Amino acid sequence: MLKIFLLSFGSCFLFLPFCLRSQVVINEFMSLNEDVFQDEDDDSEDWIELFNNGNTPVNLSQYYLSDDPENIQRWQLPNINLLPQEFLILFCSGKNRVDPSLPLHTNFKLSSTGEDIFLSNDENLLQHISPVTLGINQSYASIADGSQSFFISNQATPGGPNMLGIKINFSVSAGFHQQEFPLELSHDSGYNNIEIRYSENGDIPDTSSTLFDQHILINDRSQEVNILAQIPTTPDYSNWTEELTY
């Protein structure tokens, strides 16, 4: 099942790794592969998927992958060309295999509890994905191939396109409304097994957030305490004892 946590009434939720405009990007990875994808030894190894998001081939011999912030050039890719819009699977097995004619293996493994992942070349850090905890057979994938927006997916697509963007459709347009109404949500992804979870208090949605079912009742809550308006935005100097300096 594909799980996407997109809606927060009061905040926005997107996974945004740092990326320095690179043609080659980390497009998806899995850190707890049980039976989704096997290597040539029939081992279910962790894996990273690279994607050439450009219109020209890229030679990868000057590219590096790492899980070590102290050594972002931990593993160098071999002399192999990645064609435009092509995917490349790298097994993170620790087996360190770099023969371009065979499946490639890094010299490190990935931690399912989360760790930094770095893509770099000889000159720059190109992409840094912060630690994310994944369950069995879950992947961390860009919503659209080559994008910087990521989501946790239970439907991995190693070596193939990810979901090409997800648009959440609202049954009622934004604005001021005089009467309460049921807000219905839908998506145009083409997948039937998607979960949408949301929050109503500004918190970032996660796996424990409310699961959207049939509708969300939008009603008059003007008599309730407005907790969002009470979030302080100005420092409290009431107990300040030092001399103010300008």
Side-chain angles (χ1 to χ4, degrees), residues 26 48 50 63-77 90 92 106-110 115-120 125 127-129:
I26 298 172
I48 292 175
L50 298 184
Y63 283 73
Y64 304 84
L65 280 170
S66 178
D67 63 344
D68 184 357
E70 301 297 325
N71 180 18
I72 64 172
Q73 296 185 352
R74 181 173 182 179
W75 185 74
Q76 184 174 6
L77 278 84
L90 307 167
C92 298
T106 67
N107 58 358
F108 61 88
K109 297 183 178 182
L110 298 179
E115 63 179 337
D116 296 284
I117 301 177
F118 303 92
L119 174 67
S120 62
L125 172 62
Q127 190 173 8
H128 169 212
I129 298 180

Side-chain angles (χ1 to χ4, degrees), residues 98-109:
V98 293
D99 185 339
S101 64
L102 298 173
L104 301 176
H105 291 252
T106 67
N107 58 358
F108 61 88
K109 297 183 178 182

Side-chain angles (χ1 to χ4, degrees), residues 28-198:
E28 186 176 11
F29 69 86
M30 179 175 289
S31 57
L32 192 55
N33 177 22
E34 186 171 273
D35 53 18
V36 169
F37 196 46
Q38 286 73 44
D39 67 6
E40 68 274 27
D41 301 324
D42 292 326
D43 294 330
S44 296
E45 302 288 1
D46 304 336
W47 51 268
I48 292 175
E49 175 190 82
L50 298 184
F51 176 64
N52 182 348
N53 196 34
N55 298 317
T56 57
V58 176
N59 186 277
L60 299 179
S61 61
Q62 302 303 315
Y63 283 73
Y64 304 84
L65 280 170
S66 178
D67 63 344
D68 184 357
E70 301 297 325
N71 180 18
I72 64 172
Q73 296 185 352
R74 181 173 182 179
W75 185 74
Q76 184 174 6
L77 278 84
N79 184 13
I80 185 173
N81 290 321
L82 191 61
L83 300 179
Q85 305 301 303
E86 185 179 26
F87 303 90
L88 176 65
I89 293 295
L90 307 167
F91 290 105
C92 298
S93 63
K95 297 176 182 178
N96 194 24
R97 297 175 181 173
V98 293
D99 185 339
S101 64
L102 298 173
L104 301 176
H105 291 252
T106 67
N107 58 358
F108 61 88
K109 297 183 178 182
L110 298 179
S111 170
S112 61
T113 58
E115 63 179 337
D116 296 284
I117 301 177
F118 303 92
L119 174 67
S120 62
N121 60 18
D122 281 340
E123 299 177 350
N124 296 301
L125 172 62
L126 302 176
Q127 190 173 8
H128 169 212
I129 298 180
S130 297
V132 57
T133 301
L134 298 176
I136 295 174
N137 292 338
Q138 287 185 330
S139 73
Y140 198 49
S142 60
I143 291 179
D145 293 322
S147 78
Q148 296 184 47
S149 300
F150 278 62
F151 67 102
I152 297 175
S153 171
N154 283 5
Q155 187 171 316
T157 58
N162 298 339
M163 185 177 298
L164 301 179
I166 300 172
K167 179 182 179 182
I168 301 298
N169 302 309
F170 295 79
S171 61
V172 179
S173 299
F176 295 95
H177 301 274
Q178 299 299 319
Q179 297 179 334
E180 69 177 37
F181 59 89
L183 177 65
E184 299 178 355
L185 307 175
S186 62
H187 59 85
D188 55 3
S189 67
Y191 289 81
N192 296 321
N193 56 345
I194 288 179
E195 288 185 357
I196 299 175
R197 295 183 180 268
Y198 64 94

